[in-house]
Amino acid sequence: MKTDPHPLPASLRRQAVAGGVTGLVADAFLVLFYVVARPWADDPGDSWLGPANDVLVLLQYLALVPVVRGLGRLMAGDARARGWTRIGLVAAVLVVVLQALLLTGLMPFEYQVVPVSLSAVAGMCWAGAISAAGARTGTLPAAVTRLGRAIVIGLPVAVGAFGVGFLVTVFFDVSWAWAAGGIPGAVVWTMFPAWTLLVGLRR
């Protein structure tokens, strides 16, 4: 049975917990925003939950940056982990920058949403890859590595479901279909901060 000879420093565990909790709250706000504002409707509403989510996502990824670096240092001897650490850092920093541009009004949402979503997906891929590296090197517990792998497995399922929902919306004019198709994506999206929280809670 593999052990963890190089536990994360307490400061990095705190960052992971902060990022995980903040991300889970951000996801909850996003779900509530869709329920309250119904942005797919002909007459969508407005809510403070959307802007609150934007702020929390910025804080989530600010906390994630030192976690990516810390895990990368723990697995510095693994070549694949080193490569994915660079990808994870770029993804996290891009989300921070893009969210800051959105919140300051320097980039409108319609231009920001696609690159920030792609960066977030890249971060989830990093979580899966670094989980696999953690299993190879014995630096992450089984619960963390299993959840990281589940995120990567769930990503293509989520993309496929959203694609089907989007096509139904476009071709059959079912306004809510794209939101329904996004439910698997919402689950995977929530698994990422849950994974980060597990990293912080590990002993």
Side-chain angles (χ1 to χ4, degrees), residues 114-185:
V114 172
V116 81
S117 297
L118 292 175
S119 298
V121 169
M124 295 177 199
C125 292
W126 161 79
I130 211 68
S131 293
R136 287 193 303 272
T137 59
T139 55
L140 289 175
V144 174
T145 60
R146 282 196 298 265
L147 185 55
R149 287 166 172 164
I151 291 171
V152 174
I153 293 170
L155 273 174
V157 176
V159 171
F162 181 78
V164 170
F166 179 79
L167 290 175
V168 170
T169 298
V170 170
F171 290 106
F172 297 98
D173 196 26
V174 181
S175 61
W176 51 266
W178 69 269
I183 291 174

Side-chain angles (χ1 to χ4, degrees), residues 28-77:
F29 280 11
L30 185 61
V31 171
L32 290 173
F33 170 75
Y34 278 102
V35 171
V36 172
R38 295 169 56 87
W40 64 83
D42 294 333
D43 185 23
D46 197 8
S47 172
W48 61 269
L49 293 163
N53 168 264
D54 293 332
V55 173
L56 290 173
V57 169
L58 172 62
L59 297 177
Q60 173 191 357
Y61 280 85
L62 271 174
L64 185 64
V65 170
V67 176
V68 176
R69 293 181 60 191
L71 290 177
R73 284 194 292 267
L74 281 178
M75 305 177 200

